Amino acid sequence: MQNKDIIEKLRDDNHYYGDFGKQYISNSDIKTMRFDPEQFHAPSKTTVPMEQGKYFHQLMLEPTKAKDFPISDVTRRDSKHKAFLEEKGLDEALKTSEAKEIENLVAWFKDENNPKTKKYLEDIYSLSSSFEEPMVGNIMGYDFKAKADIVNVKKGYIIDLKTSKDVPRFLSTAKTWGYHTQAFIYQSLFGMPLTFIAIGKTPKRRADGTTYYDVGEFTPKQSTLQEAKLDIEHAIRHYEDWLSSTADNKIEEFVFKGQF
């Protein structure tokens, strides 16, 4: 299959996250291979923060999908909420109040008169921008995949949107969440730099009573990308030693080892 056909197929989330997409290594795979290789390709459950992030992305980039986003019309997670999840076949869903919080955040961010976000709106919704753009390629001898939130071809960079509980701490937690390896993978596959735009989920009030949210613009340093390369190599060693079809070790015997 030609790369262009693969990329076109990966536009469908069912293929990207399904069996077809699992032929390719993603950044989330790298994180799993590094920190919990026994969970590689294991089923995982969604959480409320994950649902908030997904709803935010759909409202920002795929509003037609957001119209069908599952929202539980409850005030607390009780038996009614559980019944809703069972009916929809979901692990978790946002309550109406939680969905409204994200809707308010998006409305604030997309306000064309918002001086804090004007620059980003211009780049995100530029005629030269495309959304949810997949890419595949070879990194360190393995087939990788990625799906970029926004690719602005004219300005030659990728934008990745993150919702955050604490934007000021983004720099201190980025490597923990694997954002450095994400930057390395995306920049390798797309051939252009990646910028993270982090948006705080908690509304705040200034002294004059106006509402705002924290916004952060973050890019990786060259030394960070070098560290990411080493971490990806470490993940791949775990894969080769414990997970690949030619691995000499049994994953059931995996033990973390190291010196500190």
Side-chain angles (χ1 to χ4, degrees), residues 199-212:
I199 304 96
K201 292 186 285 188
T202 304
K204 298 182 176 181
R205 286 192 180 274
R206 302 183 183 93
D208 63 4
T210 55
T211 299
Y212 72 98

Side-chain angles (χ1 to χ4, degrees), residues 71-177:
I71 297 170
S72 178
D73 186 19
V74 296
T75 57
R76 62 182 186 277
R77 287 181 165 78
D78 54 12
S79 59
K80 183 178 178 182
H81 181 73
K82 184 178 180 181
F84 176 87
L85 296 179
E86 292 175 350
E87 178 187 349
K88 300 292 184 181
L90 302 172
D91 297 322
E92 192 51 270
L94 298 182
K95 299 183 298 180
T96 302
S97 59
E98 292 167 335
K100 185 62 178 176
E101 290 172 359
I102 299 300
E103 291 164 7
N104 291 340
L105 169 57
V106 171
W108 174 87
F109 191 95
K110 294 175 74 171
D111 183 349
E112 60 184 17
N113 295 316
N114 187 340
K116 192 189 289 263
T117 62
K118 183 178 180 181
K119 167 193 172 184
Y120 306 119
L121 291 174
E122 291 174 352
D123 285 359
I124 292 170
Y125 298 109
S126 165
L127 292 176
S128 62
S129 293
S130 57
F131 302 153
E132 298 297 333
E133 193 67 34
M135 186 59 67
V136 294
N138 189 280
I139 298 176
M140 302 177 191
Y142 287 88
D143 292 327
F144 276 72
K145 67 176 180 180
K147 185 175 280 191
D149 288 346
I150 304 108
V151 178
N152 188 312
V153 177
K154 185 176 181 179
K155 292 201 172 180
Y157 82 115
I158 305 163
I159 299 172
D160 191 84
L161 302 174
K162 301 290 188 190
T163 52
S164 173
K165 290 194 297 185
D166 194 346
V167 172
R169 293 187 67 244
F170 185 95
L171 291 177
S172 63
T173 60
K175 293 176 184 177
T176 300
W177 291 107

Side-chain angles (χ1 to χ4, degrees), residues 5 18 24 49 52 112 133 141 162 179 218 222 237 246 250:
D5 298 322
Y24 304 88
Q52 288 176 317
E112 60 184 17
E133 193 67 34
K162 301 290 188 190
Y179 297 158
F218 304 104
Q222 196 58 42
R237 284 198 300 274
T246 57
K250 295 180 180 180

